[in-house]
Structure formats: C-alpha cells, structure tokens
Amino acid sequence: MVNINNDWELIVAVCSPCRNAKIPANVRSEAYVAAWKYTDAYGPLGYMPDQGYDWSGFRDSTEESTKNSAEAIRNVLAKHNITEFEVEKTI
C-alpha cells in the first residue's frame, strides 16, 4: 500500500517505470501528465525534452517541484475517488 501522504513515495508509485500503481491506466496517465507540469529538472517548469516524458524529470526535480507534483497526483486521485492503492514492483 502506498502512503498517499508521502510525496516521494506517491510520485514513485505513480510515475516510476519500476513501479505499477494498481489504479486504472487512464487515471495513472492523467496523474502523470498533471504531475509533469511541475517538474523542473530540465529548467523551466514542465519542460518536455526531445525524448518526451522521462523518469529523470521527476527524479532530478527540486523539493518544491516534488511537493507540487505530488499534490497534482493527489488531486487527480481525489477526482477519481481513489484514497488508497497497492503498488507492484515491475523491475
């Protein structure tokens, strides 16, 4: 079970290629896109590098970005009435 109150754990559960949040695929995609808007690993907020969405965009972002990205994920989960979920390790 993921701790929805822990920012980093939530981001890893939903956005990491090594984890698979057991939530509907469309919700996971929506949460990923919403959270990406707050990444700052590539400079400007939400900048999309040539390779597209990339885990390092989350991994290398600032603490403030991490907090905002996690809040965006929480908002998407709340919109879909998801209050808890399990996570499967994929790698």
Side-chain angles (χ1 to χ4, degrees), residues 17 29 32 35-36 41 44 47 49 53 59-60 63 72:
S29 294
Y32 196 106
W36 185 269
Y47 175 79
Y53 292 116
R59 184 194 64 213
D60 299 335
E63 188 175 323

Side-chain angles (χ1 to χ4, degrees), residues 9-84:
E9 187 178 331
L10 180 60
I11 290 170
V12 170
V14 174
C15 301
S16 170
C18 299
R19 300 289 186 272
N20 185 19
K22 292 186 177 184
I23 56 178
N26 65 313
V27 175
R28 186 174 178 181
S29 294
E30 182 181 344
Y32 196 106
V33 170
W36 185 269
K37 293 175 187 176
Y38 298 99
T39 62
D40 60 7
Y42 296 106
L45 282 180
Y47 175 79
M48 180 67 67
D50 290 341
Q51 73 268 22
Y53 292 116
D54 182 311
W55 169 242
S56 61
F58 292 105
R59 184 194 64 213
D60 299 335
S61 282
T62 62
E63 188 175 323
E64 181 179 352
S65 171
T66 297
K67 179 180 177 174
N68 292 333
S69 291
E71 188 61 27
I73 293 170
R74 285 186 194 93
N75 290 338
V76 170
L77 295 176
K79 173 182 160 186
H80 294 279
N81 297 312
I82 297 171
T83 57
E84 60 182 32

